[in-house]
Amino acid sequence: MRKKIVAGNWKMNKTLPEAEQLIKELLNKINTEQKVEVIIAPAFVNLPLAVELTQNSDIEVAAQNMHFEDAGAYTGEVSADMLKAIGVEQVILGHSERRAYFNETDEVLKKKAHKAYEKSMTNIFCVGEQLDDRKAGKHFDVVKSQLQKALFDLPLQAYKKIIIAYEPVWAIGTGETATPEQAQEMHAFIRETLAKKYGQDLANNVRILYGGSVKPGNAADIFSQPDVDGGLIGGASLKAGDFDAIVEAAKKL
Ligand code: PGA
């Protein structure tokens, strides 16, 4: 059985006092009963506080990005060691906003994925097609290529700490959601692609999250698909009530 995950990607939202308030609300509301893994990914500056406040709770903390080098002249960047030193052991890599606005290519993401593996960090790796890709019927090819180029030089054991997030770019922050069938179809394809490369056992164990306008009202339908192991939540992770409702939906499955 793959344990479901509900992960909140806060993106560039919440000042330190706002983050403190939201985390405290989440701590009051969320009760996973160990049935769901809950992760929040605040901005870098809010991570130390997030780690401190969530100690001894069911909530785990991830970063939204990191650099692939250990240290050096990379102004404005943050390394894996810096994250680990404050107790952050998980990182979202390859989010479509990083790919689109910060020119993160498959090559760069491969280096980041390898760094996460080297440092034993959990890599929540995002893939997903643009609307044009889907209209042209290329969505499977695009996702396969993103996986192959960034992750397929990693050894089998790396996947113990890899979570895949399928996020169709056209569904992110748009209010538009993939139908449960579209999500299932792509998740099954991702699992099959992993199975061909690494074997069925590995593929059966990797958790694949759906992301793109998940809300309390649609979470249960999407999460109940056999190959959907939870969600990466943007907008709805910024409201404690909504995020908790999504966690509750995952818990019931
Ligand atoms: P959204 O974002 O839930 O606001 O669509 C999802 C994401 O980008 O991870």
Side-chain angles (χ1 to χ4, degrees):
M1 258 297 274
R2 298 182 297 265
K3 195 171 185 176
K4 291 236 177 337
I5 298 175
V6 175
N9 173 10
W10 290 12
K11 308 190 180 183
M12 196 175 74
N13 292 293
K14 304 291 174 189
T15 61
L16 189 69
E18 290 166 351
E20 179 172 3
Q21 193 185 331
L22 177 54
I23 294 166
K24 285 183 174 165
E25 281 171 27
L26 292 172
L27 289 168
N28 275 332
K29 282 188 198 293
I30 289 178
N31 178 7
T32 66
E33 294 171 46
Q34 314 302 318
K35 289 181 185 151
V36 181
E37 213 177 308
V38 174
I39 304 168
I40 56 170
F44 285 131
V45 292
N46 296 332
L47 287 174
L49 174 79
V51 170
E52 188 190 318
L53 292 177
T54 57
Q55 254 173 23
N56 309 316
S57 83
D58 285 354
I59 300 177
E60 301 162 32
V61 176
Q64 297 174 17
N65 178 35
M66 70 178 193
H67 198 262
F68 53 79
E69 292 290 356
D70 286 337
Y74 301 99
T75 303
E77 293 292 324
V78 170
S79 71
D81 288 336
M82 291 174 185
L83 293 173
K84 288 177 70 93
I86 58 163
V88 173
E89 299 283 343
Q90 311 195 41
V91 62
I92 298 172
L93 293 177
H95 190 278
S96 67
E97 287 148 19
R98 301 288 325 163
R99 293 177 190 259
Y101 307 145
F102 305 98
N103 298 321
E104 292 201 5
T105 60
D106 293 319
E107 234 161 82
V108 165
L109 292 170
K110 178 177 172 177
K111 290 184 191 169
K112 292 188 177 195
H114 280 254
K115 184 55 69 179
Y117 170 55
E118 181 195 318
K119 299 289 180 181
S120 278
M121 291 185 75
T122 296
N123 168 6
I124 304 169
F125 191 78
C126 304
V127 295
E129 81 284 359
Q130 310 271 344
L131 186 56
D132 283 352
D133 300 324
R134 184 163 276 270
K135 282 188 179 152
K138 289 190 198 144
H139 43 299
F140 294 118
D141 290 345
V142 168
V143 168
K144 186 176 176 179
S145 149
Q146 289 170 338
L147 290 170
Q148 284 175 332
K149 288 183 178 152
L151 300 185
F152 277 18
D153 280 343
L154 286 165
L156 197 125
Q157 63 266 26
Y159 287 81
K160 287 194 190 115
K161 292 201 171 211
I162 292 177
I163 297 162
I164 309 279
Y166 168 57
E167 301 206 300
V169 179
W170 48 272
I172 296 178
T174 58
E176 194 149 334
T177 324
T179 63
E181 293 73 28
Q182 284 172 322
Q184 168 55 26
E185 187 184 39
M186 184 59 85
H187 284 227
F189 173 77
I190 292 170
R191 210 176 292 289
E192 187 189 304
T193 304
L194 289 169
K196 280 186 189 149
K197 168 77 181 165
Y198 292 100
Q200 196 63 53
D201 255 18
L202 177 134
N204 287 344
N205 286 312
V206 171
R207 283 166 307 168
I208 308 173
L209 313 183
Y210 170 80
S213 301
V214 176
K215 297 188 172 57
N218 60 24
D221 273 355
I222 297 172
F223 295 173
S224 61
Q225 298 300 310
D227 285 296
V228 177
D229 305 311
L232 181 54
I233 323 296
S237 72
L238 298 171
K239 291 187 195 130
D242 284 0
F243 194 62
D244 179 49
I246 295 169
V247 172
E248 286 298 313
K251 239 163 91 173
K252 292 199 185 89
L253 297 166

